[in-house]
């Protein structure tokens, strides 16, 4: 099955026109994925030790 030439041309224009915005969007998504809280990079045991060692004023922030 082949795509109608008009549909193909319109699709190509949309892809090209949206490329800069899509690139920015994908970059933001990648940065957001890397900027997770540090506790997500700790194993369960290490996280438990870090939590236990934290002061009572820090624990609510760690829970969040």
């Amino acid at each position: 099955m082949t795509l109608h030439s008009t549909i193909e041309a319109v699709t190509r224009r949309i892809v090209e026109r949206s490329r800069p915005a899509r690139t920015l969007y994908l970059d933001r998504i990648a940065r957001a994925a890397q900027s997770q809280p540090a506790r997500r990079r700790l194993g369960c045991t290490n996280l438990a030790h870090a939590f236990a060692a934290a002061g009572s004023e820090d624990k609510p922030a760690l829970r969040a």
Side-chain angles (χ1 to χ4, degrees):
M1 184 172 147
T2 59
L3 196 58
H4 189 278
S5 61
T6 302
I7 301 290
E8 185 178 5
V10 169
T11 301
R12 195 173 329 118
R13 284 197 315 265
I14 291 170
V15 168
E16 290 304 316
R17 188 177 61 218
S18 67
R19 189 179 311 275
R22 180 163 175 77
T23 300
L24 289 173
Y25 168 76
L26 293 174
D27 288 344
R28 271 183 284 175
I29 295 293
R31 281 195 310 272
Q34 293 175 353
S35 67
Q36 296 175 356
R39 69 179 181 274
R40 290 196 175 193
R41 292 186 293 273
L42 293 174
C44 293
T45 304
N46 288 336
L47 180 58
H49 282 94
F51 191 84
S56 60
E57 65 278 354
D58 293 325
K59 288 184 181 182
L62 290 171
R63 280 188 196 103

